[in-house]
C-alpha cells in the first residue's frame, strides 16, 4: 500500500506535470496567455530559457538575498534595451548588500519577501507585480528587468529601458519663419512631455496601450476632456482597439486602418511633427494619436481646409495669413487642373486663346511630333522622376540632381523638339503649385488625380474637365472623417467655421471653436476684446 502524498508533495507533483505540459505547449506553439508563474525558481528559468532559445541577448543574473537565511533569486532581462549600468549599480547593490542589513529572515511584519523588497529595498519609482508569463515577457521586451525569487509564484517587474534618442530639433517637413523650433522625436515619452508642457491642465488625458502582436508598440490617444466630443473619443478608441496586426512601425499603419474611406485619394487624417500644432488641435476639440518610434502624430478628424493650412498662419498677422491661404487654394487648382486646361484648350478650344498667344503656341509646337497629351505625360513623368530622385538621394546630392536635372532635361527636351516651351512652363508652374500645399499626403493625392483629369481633357476637352470637377465635388461631399463632413465648414455652411478656412480673421474675432466639431464647450475667447487704445491715452492728448 502506497503512502499517501502530503500537501507539499502533491503541489510539487502538480507543478512538475504542469511544466511538462508547458514545454509541450511551447513546442506546439500554443497560446500561453493563461500560464502562471511557478513557485519554483528553477522551473521558471527552464521555461524562459526554452522560450528565448537561440536569443543571445537573453540574460540572467543569479544571486542570493539575505545573510543568515539566504534565498535564491534571479534577475532576468534582455540585453541592449535595458540600462545595464543601472542594474549593476543600483538594483543588484540594493538587493545583495542592503538586504543583509535589513535582515530578511525577520518576516513577521510582512506577508512575504516580495512585500519587504518592494517596501524597503528597491527605490525605483515604478514597480509592478506580475504572475503570468505573458505579461512578464511583454515587460521584458519593452525594457523591464524581472526579479524571480525562489518559493514565490509572483515576480517584480522593474522598468529601466534605455534608448538612444535624437535631440529635440526643428522639424524638417514643417519649418517656419516665426514660431517654436521644437519638433517631435522617436520617443513617445518625450513627445508627450512636449505637449504636456504646452497644455497645463488636468483635463488633458493620455490613454495608453499596445498594438501589434509582434512589435508591441506603445500607442497613446490624447484629448482634452470637456472640449473633445465624447462620441468622437469613443469612435477613435473603438477603431484603434479593433486593430489586430503583427507590426506597427509607423503612425501611417494606424492611419490606413482607421480612416473612413481607404479608397479615397484624399487623406482624412492629418499628421504633424510640431508640438504646437498638436496643442492647437487638441484645444480645438480634436483627438491625437502618438505612436512610439515615429515623430509623426496623427490628428483627427481633419477636413479639406485643414490640409491647406500651415502652423505659421497663426503666428503672422491675419492680412498676410489670409493672402497666403488664398494663394494656396489657387495653387491647389493649378496643381490639379494646370496641364489639363492647357491640353483641352490647345486640342479642342483654340478659339479661347488670344490670336497673338495662339500664334506663339503654334510656332513653339511646330516641330513637336506628339499630341498635347503625350507631350504633357512626357514632362509630368520626367518631373516625377526628378522629384522622387531628389527625395531618395542623400541631401547633399539630391538638391543638385533636382535643380540640374530639371534644367538639363527641360532644355534638352525643347532643343530635341520633343516638347514645346509652353508645355515646359505649364509643367513647371504645376510642380511649383504642388509644392505650395503644406500637407505632403494631400499633395500626393492631387498629383495622382491630375493624371486622370489630363486623360479626360484629352478626350472631351473642357467638358471632360467639367465632368472631373463634378465627380470630385460629389466625392468630397459624400466623404466623412469620423462622422464629420469632409467639406466642413464650406458645406454644410458654418459661418463661425468659415472664419478660419479660406481666410484667417483676427484672433480677437474668433470667438468660438469649430462649431462643426465642438458642440458644448466651444467658447474660445471672451467677446468684445478688440484691441484699442486705453481711455487714458486719449485724455492725455
Amino acid at each position: 500500500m502506497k503512502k499517501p502524498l502530503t500537501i507539499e508533495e502533491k503541489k510539487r507533483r502538480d507543478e512538475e506535470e504542469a511544466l511538462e505540459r508547458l514545454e509541450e505547449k511551447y513546442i506546439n506553439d500554443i497560446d500561453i496567455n493563461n500560464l502562471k508563474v511557478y513557485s519554483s525558481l528553477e522551473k521558471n528559468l527552464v521555461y524562459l530559457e526554452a522560450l528565448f532559445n537561440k536569443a543571445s541577448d537573453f540574460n540572467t543574473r543569479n544571486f542570493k538575498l539575505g545573510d543568515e537565511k539566504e534565498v535564491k533569486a534571479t534577475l532576468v532581462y534582455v540585453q541592449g534595451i535595458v540600462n545595464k549600468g543601472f542594474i549593476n549599480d543600483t538594483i543588484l547593490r540594493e538587493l545583495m548588500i542592503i538586504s543583509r542589513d535589513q535582515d530578511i529572515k525577520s518576516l513577521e511584519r510582512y506577508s512575504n519577501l516580495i512585500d519587504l523588497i518592494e517596501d524597503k529595498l528597491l527605490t525605483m519609482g515604478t514597480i509592478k507585480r506580475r504572475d503570468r508569463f505573458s505579461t512578464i515577457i511583454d515587460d521584458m521586451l519593452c525594457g523591464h528587468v524581472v526579479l524571480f525569487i525562489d518559493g514565490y509564484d509572483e515576480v517584480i517587474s522593474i522598468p529601466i529601458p534605455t534608448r538612444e534618442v535624437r535631440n529635440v530639433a526643428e522639424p524638417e517637413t514643417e519649418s517656419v519663419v516665426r514660431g517654436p523650433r521644437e519638433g517631435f522625436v522617436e520617443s513617445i515619452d518625450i513627445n508627450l512631455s512636449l505637449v504636456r508642457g504646452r497644455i497645463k491642465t488636468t483635463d488633458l488625458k493620455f490613454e495608453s496601450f499596445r498594438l501589434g502582436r509582434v512589435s508591441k508598440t506603445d500607442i497613446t490617444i490624447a484629448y482634452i476632456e470637456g472640449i473633445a466630443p465624447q462620441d468622437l473619443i469613443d469612435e477613435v478608441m473603438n477603431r484603434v482597439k479593433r486593430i489586430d496586426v503583427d507590426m506597427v512601425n509607423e503612425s501611417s499603419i494606424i492611419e490606413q486602418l482607421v480612416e473612413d474611406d481607404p479608397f479615397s485619394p484624399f487623406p482624412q487624417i492629418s499628421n504633424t511633427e510640431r508640438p504646437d500644432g498638436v496643442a492647437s488641435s487638441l484645444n480645438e476639440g480634436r483627438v491625437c494619436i502618438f505612436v512610439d518610434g515615429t515623430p509623426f502624430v496623427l490628428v483627427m478628424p481633419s477636413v479639406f481646409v485643414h490640409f491647406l493650412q500651415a502652423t505659421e498662419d497663426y503666428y503672422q498677422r491675419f492680412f498676410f495669413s489670409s493672402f497666403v491661404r488664398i494663394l494656396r487654394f489657387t495653387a491647389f487648382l493649378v496643381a490639379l487642373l494646370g496641364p489639363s486646361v492647357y491640353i483641352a484648350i490647345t486640342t479642342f478650344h483654340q478659339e479661347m486663346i488670344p490670336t497673338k498667344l495662339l500664334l506663339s503656341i503654334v510656332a513653339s509646337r511646330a516641330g513637336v511630333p506628339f499630341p498635347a497629351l503625350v507631350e504633357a505625360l512626357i514632362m509630368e513623368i520626367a518631373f516625377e522622376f526628378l522629384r522622387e530622385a531628389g527625395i531618395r538621394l542623400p541631401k547633399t546630392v539630391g538638391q543638385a540632381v533636382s535643380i540640374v536635372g530639371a534644367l538639363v532635361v527641360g532644355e534638352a527636351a525643347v532643343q530635341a523638339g520633343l516638347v514645346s516651351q509652353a508645355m515646359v512652363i505649364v509643367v513647371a508652374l504645376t510642380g511649383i503649385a504642388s509644392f505650395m500645399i503644406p500637407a505632403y499626403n494631400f499633395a500626393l493625392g492631387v498629383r495622382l488625380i491630375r493624371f486622370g483629369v489630363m486623360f479626360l481633357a484629352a478626350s472631351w476637352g473642357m467638358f471632360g474637365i467639367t465632368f472631373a470637377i463634378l465627380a470630385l465635388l460629389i466625392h468630397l461631399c459624400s466623404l466623412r472623417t469620423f462622422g464629420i463632413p469632409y467639406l466642413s465648414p464650406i458645406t454644410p455652411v458654418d459661418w463661425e467655421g468659415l472664419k478660419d478656412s479660406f481666410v484667417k480673421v483676427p484672433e480677437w474675432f474668433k470667438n468660438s471653436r469649430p462649431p462643426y466639431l465642438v458642440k458644448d464647450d466651444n467658447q474660445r475667447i471672451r467677446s468684445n476684446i478688440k484691441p484699442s487704445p486705453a481711455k487714458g491715452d486719449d485724455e492725455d492728448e
Side-chain angles (χ1 to χ4, degrees):
M1 183 176 180
K2 292 184 178 180
K3 184 180 179 180
L5 298 176
T6 63
I7 297 177
E8 292 295 329
E9 290 174 341
K10 287 183 179 179
K11 185 177 180 181
R12 193 179 303 112
R13 183 196 62 186
D14 294 341
E15 288 184 352
E16 290 175 355
E17 293 177 354
L19 182 60
E20 292 177 358
R21 292 195 300 270
L22 178 62
E23 293 176 349
E24 183 180 351
K25 285 183 178 182
Y26 170 67
I27 294 172
N28 296 328
D29 216 13
I30 297 178
D31 185 23
I32 59 168
N33 289 332
N34 297 321
L35 295 175
K36 292 189 175 182
V37 175
Y38 296 101
S39 59
S40 171
L41 174 62
E42 211 174 292
K43 294 176 182 178
N44 291 328
L45 295 180
V46 167
Y47 173 69
L48 285 175
E49 288 173 358
L51 185 64
F52 285 93
N53 184 31
K54 298 182 180 180
S56 59
D57 55 352
F58 172 73
N59 282 310
T60 60
R61 174 62 166 88
N62 300 316
F63 60 97
K64 293 182 180 180
L65 293 166
D67 189 7
E68 297 181 9
K69 184 180 179 181
E70 294 182 338
V71 179
K72 292 181 180 180
T74 300
L75 280 179
V76 181
Y77 59 92
V78 178
Q79 187 175 354
I81 61 174
V82 297
N83 191 332
K84 197 171 181 179
F86 190 84
I87 296 175
N88 298 332
D89 300 337
T90 304
I91 297 180
L92 286 175
R93 179 180 178 276
E94 292 173 353
L95 293 177
M96 296 176 66
I97 299 177
I98 301 179
S99 65
R100 300 174 186 175
D101 302 333
Q102 297 293 339
D103 191 13
I104 67 169
K105 65 181 181 180
S106 302
L107 299 177
E108 291 82 5
R109 291 176 298 167
Y110 295 91
S111 59
N112 56 36
L113 181 56
I114 293 181
D115 290 338
L116 174 63
I117 293 173
E118 188 176 6
D119 293 346
K120 302 189 70 174
L121 298 185
L122 294 179
T123 58
M124 278 63 70
T126 304
I127 296 177
K128 300 178 181 179
R129 292 192 178 192
R130 304 296 193 192
D131 62 353
R132 296 183 182 274
F133 276 105
S134 58
T135 54
I136 291 172
I137 293 167
D138 288 345
D139 286 350
M140 290 176 59
L141 296 175
C142 292
H144 289 228
V145 176
V146 181
L147 173 63
F148 286 86
I149 303 174
D150 192 25
Y152 292 88
D153 57 359
E154 196 174 23
V155 302
I156 295 177
S157 180
I158 310 166
I160 51 169
T162 181
R163 182 177 180 180
E164 295 296 330
V165 180
R166 62 185 175 93
N167 296 327
V168 176
E170 183 178 3
E172 296 183 1
T173 58
E174 298 175 87
S175 59
V176 295
V177 176
R178 179 179 180 179
R181 305 289 171 166
E182 292 179 333
F184 289 128
V185 295
E186 284 72 19
S187 172
I188 191 171
D189 294 329
I190 295 177
N191 295 342
L192 294 176
S193 67
L194 291 174
V195 175
R196 176 68 75 179
R198 282 176 164 76
I199 304 179
K200 300 178 178 66
T201 173
T202 57
D203 292 331
L204 176 60
K205 306 299 181 182
F206 294 143
E207 298 194 29
S208 301
F209 47 92
R210 287 174 181 162
L211 285 182
R213 294 188 296 269
V214 176
S215 63
K216 307 291 184 184
T217 307
D218 291 324
I219 308 294
T220 298
I221 296 178
Y223 59 90
I224 298 181
E225 191 175 41
I227 295 179
Q230 188 59 45
D231 54 350
L232 173 61
I233 298 172
D234 296 338
E235 181 65 20
V236 173
M237 290 286 185
N238 293 333
R239 294 192 189 187
V240 173
K241 290 182 178 180
R242 285 202 305 264
I243 297 176
D244 186 11
V245 295
D246 288 336
M247 299 284 293
V248 179
N249 288 330
E250 218 277 333
S251 56
S252 63
I253 304 296
I254 296 178
E255 178 183 353
Q256 297 173 53
L257 294 174
V258 302
E259 59 186 354
D260 288 62
D261 188 354
F263 295 103
S264 174
F266 296 97
Q268 298 117 61
I269 299 173
S270 62
N271 59 79
T272 180
E273 287 186 272
R274 301 189 60 87
D276 54 326
V278 170
S280 298
S281 298
L282 291 171
N283 188 52
E284 288 180 348
R286 292 182 168 85
V287 177
C288 298
I289 297 180
F290 294 77
V291 180
D292 191 29
T294 176
F296 291 94
V297 176
L298 301 180
V299 180
M300 57 199 69
S302 298
V303 294
F304 178 83
V305 296
H306 191 81
F307 294 97
L308 294 171
Q309 298 173 357
T311 308
E312 193 175 7
D313 294 348
Y314 300 94
Y315 303 142
Q316 301 290 349
R317 301 194 66 189
F318 69 96
F319 297 109
F320 179 75
S321 298
S322 299
F323 173 71
V324 172
R325 283 191 182 180
I326 293 173
L327 285 182
R328 290 199 197 106
F329 280 96
T330 305
F332 164 73
L333 296 177
V334 173
L336 181 65
L337 304 175
S340 303
V341 172
Y342 176 83
I343 293 171
I345 291 178
T346 56
T347 305
F348 295 97
H349 312 286
Q350 296 87 351
E351 67 277 2
M352 297 176 62
I353 308 174
T355 305
K356 290 185 179 181
L357 179 58
L358 179 60
L359 292 175
S360 177
I361 294 175
V362 171
S364 66
R365 285 185 47 81
V368 178
F370 305 113
L373 175 63
V374 177
E375 186 183 2
L377 287 176
I378 291 174
M379 290 305 300
E380 283 289 346
I381 294 174
F383 193 85
E384 294 295 332
F385 284 167
L386 293 171
R387 190 195 321 240
E388 285 300 309
I391 294 174
R392 306 306 165 198
L393 287 172
K395 291 182 180 179
T396 54
V397 183
Q399 293 180 355
V401 169
S402 300
I403 298 172
V404 176
L407 293 174
V408 172
V409 172
E411 182 65 23
V414 172
Q415 292 295 330
L418 298 178
V419 296
S420 63
Q421 294 93 331
M423 180 57 74
V424 173
I425 295 173
V426 170
V427 172
L429 288 175
T430 303
I432 294 172
S434 65
F435 290 143
M436 288 187 62
I437 299 176
Y440 182 72
N441 53 352
F442 189 82
L444 287 177
V446 174
R447 285 160 58 183
L448 289 176
I449 297 172
R450 181 167 65 230
F451 286 96
V453 181
M454 286 166 55
F455 282 100
L456 290 175
S459 301
W460 297 296
M462 295 301 295
F463 295 102
I465 295 177
T466 303
F467 174 79
I469 293 174
L470 291 175
L472 282 176
L473 288 176
I474 293 172
H475 172 69
L476 291 173
C477 289
S478 63
L479 196 59
R480 295 289 187 274
T481 169
F482 290 87
I484 295 175
Y486 194 64
L487 287 183
S488 300
I490 304 170
T491 176
V493 178
D494 189 334
W495 297 110
E496 285 294 328
L498 287 173
K499 293 180 180 180
D500 190 17
S501 55
F502 296 106
V503 296
K504 175 186 173 294
V505 299
E507 288 295 322
W508 49 265
F509 194 55
K510 293 194 301 181
N511 304 112
S512 62
R513 298 182 176 91
Y516 61 86
L517 182 61
V518 180
K519 304 298 182 184
D520 299 327
D521 184 13
N522 64 351
Q523 186 68 26
R524 177 183 170 273
I525 194 171
R526 183 172 58 85
S527 301
N528 301 321
I529 61 168
K530 178 182 177 181
S532 59
K535 293 182 179 179
D537 295 342
D538 296 336
E539 293 174 358
D540 293 339
E541 293 178 1

